């Protein structure tokens, strides 16, 4: 049995179903992420785990015990809020001491525990400061230290890095991974940022409209999206939709209008004529100036319609004769030139049958 | 280039004076100068038939400390001062105890009810202050339902009937009634800005309802408490109408004595001394409260920064 069991949890607000029959098991020591666009129900689910909201149906179990009758202050979990929610009238030490005082920790032990918590979040020497004297990243660390000082069974994090700038966010992501390894506490992390979810998590539940679309390891979520929504939401993706033209021998051909037949390796035995989608990441597409020497599985011509130069890579949007736009990503690895192609260049695109991912509809 | 830069520099300065000048002139003319006249009057001799004796008597300046000597040598005035401070303090504490739950209720209620409740708080201002005080005379009157009920209960316990009107009880009740909105409004303004996430965080960290109030809500509301306390305490300290109308002879406060010095005894210098001492006492207590507030919450600017 998992440490934290969410069983058939449903939450409605009037006619709107925010969380729709969700079941998830979260293991001890896991870094688990609820990922989805705003309004997908991830924060509502987190608040129900914390006890701030109660499910209309279903149960939340911790170590097999139903938490239904327990208010937030009596659940062995801690939450890190998006706004940090540091107490402005208390110093860093006062903030970190607060949960210890609430737990009636003997005064003699409090000092050592505060020092240990501040060391965990690399804030030694900041104990006497007030929250308004700290930077965003430091506030974030105080919130983490305050939540971890009582060694909760589960730490709930609600978009904790959303308020930080990009560079600091990356730094904090690495710190969060290390911190989670160090303290070994189960993290349940809520975010709408897919790169953050991929970088941090052991497992991700991708949520949409109150339901879990896919629950998998990050590489599976990215590489093998099970639904159109997941493929589209996680990273950039070309989605080729059309009826199945032929299937068999672990290969399916989809007749994509405006592009042509696209072949993809899959075990699916979808009958010809049924609608299907092939998800293809931009970085899996080979893009060259001349026709490839070998005979690739999929091969199309086009012209560069527009491009996004990002420094390390360039994203090319290639228009096919049929009028489709295909996104292809190429590292700017050629020495002596900033990028390979310009707008208007004729290019050859190709990819193997293993590059795409088949999604039944 | 140069004239242009000068005019650009002077234009906002002229504008600033146009805006701040009239209120400054008003305060100078009707507050600062009269206050100085009062300070001067406190060193002069009372006139034979009231008012003041001439400043120049037989070619010499007639200024003396007689009124100050009288204030410090007769302990009755210190006692009345102490009593006034006590009444003002009690008024402030009762107002705080009544206003806090009310302000919290208004701050927590939905937009629709909030405006209605605020309107109800300020509604008493729409009728005249004296009329409201006289209304209390009727409420406390010997034949009113209140006095009959109280005395009925007392008689049941074998107690003599007590008059409610012309008592310190009546004075205190009316003082609290009149000053209550001045405590509710600053408290409401403060509590309304509180961040729900802080209370959620406190609850998540193990605090029960009482601990959330005592450790989070109350300390963060202290600026509102101090503002309300100052708005209640200082006017209550100098009030004379309420003890005049509702109080007995024992309930004479410093405001009444000052009024008496000017209008009845016609000893202007001594009335001025009492006024000056009252002003200094109020300033001292307000300064003390400000120091306490700062000690609790760091510098005021840092509190504002913390809120932002």
């Amino acid at each position: 049995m998992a440490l934290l069991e969410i069983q058939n949890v449903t939450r409605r607000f009037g006619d709107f179903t925010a969380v729709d029959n969700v079941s998830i098991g979260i293991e001890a020591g896991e870094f688990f992420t609820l990922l989805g666009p705003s309004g997908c129900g991830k924060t509502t689910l987190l608040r129900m785990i914390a006890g701030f909201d109660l499910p209309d149906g279903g149960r939340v179990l911790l170590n097999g015990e139903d938490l239904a009758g327990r208010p937030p202050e009596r659940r062995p979990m801690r939450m890190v809020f998006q706004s940090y929610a540091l107490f402005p009238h208390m110093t860093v030490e006062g903030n970190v001491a607060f949960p210890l005082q609430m737990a009636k920790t003997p005064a003699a032990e409090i000092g050592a525990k505060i020092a240990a918590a501040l060391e965990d979040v690399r804030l030694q020497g900041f104990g006497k400061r007030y929250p308004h004297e700290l930077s965003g990243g430091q506030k974030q660390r105080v919130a983490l230290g305050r939540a971890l000082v009582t060694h909760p069974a589960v730490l709930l994090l609600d978009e904790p890095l959303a308020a930080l700038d990009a560079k600091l966010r990356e730094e904090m992501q690495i710190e969060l991974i290390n911190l989670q390894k160090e303290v070994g506490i189960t993290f349940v992390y809520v975010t709408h940022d897919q790169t953050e979810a991929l970088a941090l998590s052991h497992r991700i539940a991708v949520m949409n409209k109150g339901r879990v679309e896919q629950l998998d390891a990050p590489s599976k979520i990215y590489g093998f999206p099970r639904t159109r929504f997941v493929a589209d939401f996680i990273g950039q993706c070309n989605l080729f939709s059309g009826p199945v033209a032929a299937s068999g021998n672990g290969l399916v051909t989809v007749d994509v209008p405006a592009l042509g037949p696209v072949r993809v390796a899959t075990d699916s035995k979808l009958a010809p004529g049924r609608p299907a989608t092939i998800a293809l990441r931009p970085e899996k597409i080979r893009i060259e100036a001349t026709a490839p020497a070998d005979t690739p599985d999929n091969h199309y011509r086009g012209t560069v319609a527009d491009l996004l130069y990002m420094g390390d890579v360039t994203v090319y949007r290639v228009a096919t004769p049929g009028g489709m736009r295909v996104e292809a990503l190429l590292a700017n690895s050629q020495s002596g030139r900033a990028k390979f192609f310009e707008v208007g260049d004729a290019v050859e695109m190709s990819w193997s049958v293993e590059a795409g991912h088949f999604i039944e509809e | 280039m140069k004239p242009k830069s000068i005019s650009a520099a002077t234009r906002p300065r002229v504008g600033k004076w146009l805006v701040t000048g009239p209120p400054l002139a008003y305060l100078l003319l009707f507050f600062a100068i009269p206050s100085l006249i009062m300070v001067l009057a406190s060193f002069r001799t009372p006139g034979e038939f009231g008012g003041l004796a001439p400043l120049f008597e037989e070619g010499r300046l007639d200024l003396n400390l007689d009124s100050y000597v009288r204030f410090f040598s007769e302990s009755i005035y210190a006692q009345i001062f102490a009593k006034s401070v006590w009444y003002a303090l009690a008024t402030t504490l009762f107002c705080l105890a009544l206003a806090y739950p009310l302000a919290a209720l208004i701050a927590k209620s939905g937009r629709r009810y909030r405006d209605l409740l605020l309107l109800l708080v300020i509604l008493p201002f729409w009728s005249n202050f004296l009329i409201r005080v006289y209304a209390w005379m009727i409420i406390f009157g010997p034949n009113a339902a209140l006095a009959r009920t109280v005395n009925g209960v007392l008689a049941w316990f074998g107690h003599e009937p007590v008059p409610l009107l012309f008592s310190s009880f009546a004075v205190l009740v009316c003082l609290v009634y009149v000053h209550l909105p001045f405590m509710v409004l600053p408290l409401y303004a403060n509590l309304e800005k509180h961040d729900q996430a802080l209370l959620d965080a406190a609850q998540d960290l193990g605090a029960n309802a009482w601990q959330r109030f005592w450790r989070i809500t109350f300390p963060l509301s202290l600026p509102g408490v101090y503002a309300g306390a100052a708005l209640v305490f200082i006017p209550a300290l100098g009030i004379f109408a309420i003890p005049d109308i509702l109080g007995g002879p024992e309930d004479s406060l410093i405001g009444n004595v000052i009024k008496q010095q000017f209008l009845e005894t016609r000893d202007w210098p001594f009335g001025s001394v009492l006024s000056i001492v009252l002003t200094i006492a109020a300033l001292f207590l307000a300064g003390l409260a400000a120091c306490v507030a700062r000690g609790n919450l760091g510098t005021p600017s840092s509190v504002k920064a913390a809120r932002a």
Side-chain angles (χ1 to χ4, degrees):
Chain A
M1 178 149 215
L3 174 75
L4 186 65
E5 282 280 351
I6 295 156
Q7 294 179 341
N8 307 99
V9 165
T10 297
R11 179 77 175 102
R12 292 183 202 90
F13 297 104
D15 292 338
F16 176 67
T17 306
V19 176
D20 190 359
N21 196 24
V22 167
S23 295
I24 298 172
I26 298 169
E27 304 294 334
E30 193 173 16
F31 198 128
F32 191 91
T33 297
L34 298 168
L35 172 66
S38 60
C40 74
K42 56 190 193 299
T43 298
T44 307
L45 186 57
L46 195 76
R47 288 181 68 83
M48 284 193 283
I49 297 172
F52 289 115
D53 203 353
L54 295 173
D56 293 317
R59 302 192 298 170
V60 178
L61 308 177
L62 185 74
N63 283 322
E65 185 207 346
D66 192 344
L67 292 176
R70 286 221 221 173
E73 65 265 36
R74 289 187 38 237
R75 297 192 180 195
M77 308 188 211
R78 293 286 182 255
M79 185 144 159
V80 175
F81 292 79
Q82 187 175 354
S83 62
Y84 317 130
L86 299 181
F87 305 133
H89 56 302
M90 299 181 195
T91 60
V92 169
E93 276 178 1
N95 270 279
V96 178
F98 188 83
L100 295 169
Q101 290 159 352
M102 294 303 115
K104 304 250 179 338
T105 309
E109 295 170 26
I110 286 183
K113 290 197 171 178
I114 293 172
L118 290 184
E119 201 185 319
D120 278 345
V121 295
R122 303 201 292 110
L123 273 178
Q124 300 101 307
F126 285 87
K128 302 285 182 234
R129 301 252 189 119
Y130 279 89
H132 69 267
E133 296 169 312
L134 302 175
S135 70
Q138 289 165 342
K139 283 184 198 169
Q140 181 60 77
R141 293 207 196 112
V142 176
L144 280 168
R146 185 177 72 173
L148 288 170
V149 70
T150 49
H151 296 285
V154 179
L155 187 68
L156 310 170
L157 302 105
D158 183 13
E159 308 243 5
L161 307 184
L164 302 179
D165 61 68
K167 210 175 164 67
L168 195 57
R169 191 155 52 214
E170 204 167 299
E171 219 171 276
M172 283 301 296
Q173 285 174 8
I174 293 167
E175 270 187 45
L176 271 179
I177 293 173
N178 292 335
L179 184 68
Q180 201 264 340
K181 249 185 248 164
E182 212 174 294
V183 296
I185 289 170
T186 306
F187 279 30
V188 181
Y189 194 95
V190 159
T191 185
H192 67 273
D193 183 331
Q194 34 101 7
T195 52
E196 197 167 288
L198 293 173
L200 294 174
S201 325
H202 296 141
R203 284 195 304 156
I204 299 172
V206 182
M207 291 184 69
N208 184 35
K209 293 179 180 158
R211 292 172 167 276
V212 174
E213 294 256 342
Q214 187 170 357
L215 199 162
D216 247 323
S219 57
K220 291 273 178 57
I221 297 264
Y222 185 81
F224 307 98
R226 214 163 51 205
T227 66
R228 229 189 124 90
F229 172 81
V230 175
D232 201 27
F233 187 70
I234 312 290
Q236 293 300 313
C237 206
N238 294 295
L239 294 168
F240 304 133
S241 297
V244 172
S247 67
N249 292 336
L251 219 61
V252 168
T253 307
V254 176
D255 210 357
V256 182
L259 187 66
V262 181
R263 293 191 296 160
V264 63
T266 174
D267 294 334
S268 170
K269 292 183 174 59
L270 209 62
R274 302 286 302 277
T277 296
I278 294 169
L280 182 67
R281 299 285 178 197
E283 70 269 21
K284 303 271 169 124
I285 298 176
R286 213 161 75 189
I287 155 169
E288 293 155 301
T290 54
D294 51 346
T295 357
D297 302 322
N298 296 291
H299 176 210
Y300 310 92
R301 290 203 174 80
T303 46
V304 175
D306 46 63
L307 56 80
L308 275 172
Y309 176 71
M310 321 262 278
D312 51 348
V313 296
T314 303
V315 176
Y316 298 95
R317 225 170 294 164
V318 180
T320 65
M324 172 169 267
R325 295 286 164 99
V326 179
E327 218 166 82
L329 184 143
L330 201 57
N332 297 320
S333 54
Q334 199 183 40
S335 40
R337 281 181 69 179
K339 54 183 180 291
F340 283 94
F341 304 108
E342 298 296 339
V343 172
D345 285 0
V347 292
E348 310 271 341
M349 295 180 291
S350 60
W351 60 88
S352 72
V353 289
E354 283 84 27
H357 179 68
F358 184 76
I359 299 169
E360 293 180 13
E361 289 193 24
Chain B
M1 202 61 213
K2 209 170 183 184
K4 195 180 169 190
S5 71
I6 287 170
S7 72
T10 47
R11 213 178 301 124
R13 204 178 298 162
V14 170
K16 204 165 93 183
W17 276 111
L18 278 173
V19 174
T20 55
L24 272 178
Y26 181 90
L27 282 176
L28 190 74
L29 208 60
F30 297 114
F31 180 73
I33 292 174
S35 296
L36 287 174
I37 292 173
M38 188 180 76
V39 171
L40 185 67
S42 71
F43 293 102
R44 290 172 65 177
T45 310
E48 213 170 320
F49 307 105
L52 299 164
L55 193 51
F56 293 96
E57 191 99 44
E58 292 156 3
R60 67 179 184 86
L61 194 59
D62 180 25
L63 287 179
N64 58 66
L65 289 170
D66 292 356
S67 297
Y68 286 92
V69 170
R70 181 176 159 204
F71 175 79
F72 288 106
S73 58
E74 292 176 30
S75 67
I76 177 75
Y77 298 108
Q79 281 166 23
I80 291 173
F81 250 103
K83 192 159 73 181
S84 301
V85 170
W86 167 242
Y87 270 65
L89 206 62
T91 304
T92 309
L93 291 177
F94 279 121
C95 279
L96 183 62
L98 291 173
Y100 208 109
L102 188 58
L105 176 81
I106 299 172
K108 279 220 188 300
S109 50
R111 278 255 161 256
R112 277 213 341 257
Y113 298 104
R114 185 180 294 189
D115 293 345
L116 179 72
L117 289 168
L118 279 176
L119 182 73
L120 289 177
V121 169
I122 58 166
L123 201 61
F125 291 127
W126 291 7
S127 58
N128 180 281
F129 166 76
L130 282 177
I131 288 178
R132 286 183 286 138
V133 178
Y134 278 115
W136 278 103
M137 263 184 105
I138 298 166
I139 296 170
F140 285 127
N143 296 318
L146 182 68
R148 283 219 297 262
T149 312
V150 168
N151 285 321
V153 172
L154 286 178
W156 200 69
F157 284 103
H159 196 285
E160 293 283 299
V162 292
L164 294 183
L165 195 56
F166 308 129
S167 69
S168 40
F169 171 75
V171 171
L172 205 56
V173 167
C174 192
L175 277 172
V176 170
Y177 158 77
V178 162
H179 291 100
L180 195 58
F182 297 103
M183 186 65 95
V184 173
L185 294 176
L187 270 178
Y188 161 76
N190 174 287
L191 290 171
E192 189 249 355
K193 280 182 291 193
H194 282 206
D195 181 4
Q196 179 60 34
L198 293 182
L199 293 177
D200 282 353
Q203 185 174 16
D204 186 70
L205 295 167
N208 62 31
W210 168 249
Q211 289 165 325
R212 292 199 291 278
F213 171 75
W214 189 241
R215 296 291 307 271
I216 311 296
T217 304
F218 185 70
L220 288 175
S221 71
L222 281 178
V225 171
Y226 292 132
L231 285 179
V232 170
F233 182 84
I234 293 170
L237 193 58
I239 199 125
F240 64 87
I242 293 171
D244 253 6
I245 297 167
L246 296 173
E250 292 298 305
D251 298 308
S252 215
L253 299 182
I254 194 66
N256 303 89
V257 179
I258 293 172
K259 179 182 159 236
Q260 196 187 8
Q261 293 303 321
F262 278 98
L263 299 183
E264 288 152 39
T265 321
R266 299 181 72 77
D267 188 343
W268 289 16
F270 190 59
S272 299
V273 168
L274 293 175
S275 288
I276 289 164
V277 175
L278 180 63
T279 306
I280 289 170
L283 281 176
F284 172 76
L285 289 166
L288 196 72
C291 283
V292 172
R294 205 159 299 159
N296 266 313
L297 289 155
T299 59
S301 67
S302 75
V303 174
K304 262 180 234 143
R307 292 284 150 66

